Amino acid sequence: METINVSEYMAQLISMVMIAGFMAISPGADFVMVTRNSLFYGRKAGLYSSLGICAAIWLHVAYSIAGLAVIISKSILLFSIVKYLGAAYLIYIGWKTFQNRSDIDIAPVSGSLSALSALKEGFITNALNPKTTLFFLSIFTQVVSPQTPLVVQMLYGAIISMAHLIWFSCVSVFLTQPRLLALFMKSKSTIEKLVGGVLIAFGIKVAAS
């Protein structure tokens, strides 16, 4: 069994931790879905939705690992296309996030949402989100090299998955406290501009690398 030198991948590990954090907190369909379920169905629904997102991340991790090998082995041109498309997408969503001035507007609903239904909603929302797909293809391939062992790549997947679970669980808990919700909405514009600026900067870095 091959011994893995952890220090050899420390730079990649640090980069993946930072990327995982920004991936989790960047605004999108996952945030809106967790917000909806937390506000209208309660904390339990929000937490199970977060767990569904966490599970769906592994689907993206699986095809990213497989796709990386295929792209690199078959065509450098295809790899370059993915890289620049990913960079352009990051800059685009970063700019849209930076300019965003809209508030969350979700129509009230009634009834209850079972734990299984909430988990399914979280999973499907993340799994079928094309932005998440492109995000993984553009980010995961910039950090993971062809020489990175599979077990290390799986560790990176676990980091991304746990980052999403922790973030969205915190969002659910946060949103179910009315006084904290009011404070968050006041800071929403600042958070959007911060995340948008980071995404733009990272997109430029990806394109220039």
Side-chain angles (χ1 to χ4, degrees):
M1 182 176 180
E2 183 181 356
T3 302
I4 298 175
N5 185 359
V6 177
S7 61
E8 181 181 351
Y9 300 99
M10 188 57 65
Q12 286 188 8
L13 180 61
I14 294 173
S15 296
M16 185 57 72
V17 170
M18 295 177 62
I19 292 170
F22 284 120
M23 284 177 63
I25 68 175
S26 59
D30 294 338
F31 181 83
V32 175
M33 184 275 304
V34 171
T35 297
R36 171 185 178 272
N37 288 349
S38 297
L39 289 176
F40 298 111
Y41 297 114
R43 180 175 298 179
K44 181 179 178 181
L47 291 176
Y48 272 99
S49 298
S50 302
L51 187 61
I53 293 172
C54 170
I57 290 297
W58 284 102
L59 176 65
H60 299 294
V61 171
Y63 68 65
S64 293
I65 291 175
L68 175 62
V70 172
I71 291 174
I72 292 179
S73 63
K74 296 296 182 180
S75 174
I76 296 178
L77 175 60
L78 290 178
F79 179 79
S80 298
I81 290 174
V82 171
K83 182 179 76 170
Y84 290 118
L85 183 61
Y89 171 70
L90 288 176
I91 294 172
Y92 169 74
I93 63 172
W95 179 247
K96 294 289 287 185
T97 302
F98 189 85
Q99 284 191 316
N100 187 32
R101 297 178 59 85
S102 62
D103 295 323
I104 299 173
D105 184 14
I106 308 172
V109 295
S110 59
S112 61
L113 189 67
S114 68
L116 180 59
S117 295
L119 187 130
K120 285 181 178 178
E121 286 191 6
F123 184 90
I124 294 173
T125 298
N126 185 273
L128 299 183
N129 189 347
K131 292 184 179 181
T132 305
T133 300
L134 191 52
F135 207 116
F136 258 83
L137 291 178
S138 61
I139 295 299
F140 209 73
T141 55
Q142 303 309 311
V143 177
V144 181
S145 70
Q147 292 74 36
T148 303
L150 179 60
V151 64
V152 176
Q153 296 185 47
M154 295 296 287
L155 173 61
Y156 296 159
I159 291 172
I160 297 174
S161 181
M162 287 305 299
H164 281 72
L165 178 61
I166 293 171
W167 167 249
F168 287 112
S169 294
C170 289
V171 168
S172 180
V173 172
F174 182 79
L175 292 179
T176 49
Q177 301 182 52
R179 286 183 291 183
L180 292 180
L181 174 59
L183 293 176
F184 172 78
M185 294 308 296
K186 291 180 181 178
S187 304
K188 183 172 180 289
S189 177
T190 301
I191 294 174
E192 287 174 340
K193 292 185 184 304
L194 175 62
V195 173
V198 170
L199 289 173
I200 291 172
F202 195 82
I204 293 174
K205 180 181 180 182
V206 168
S209 63

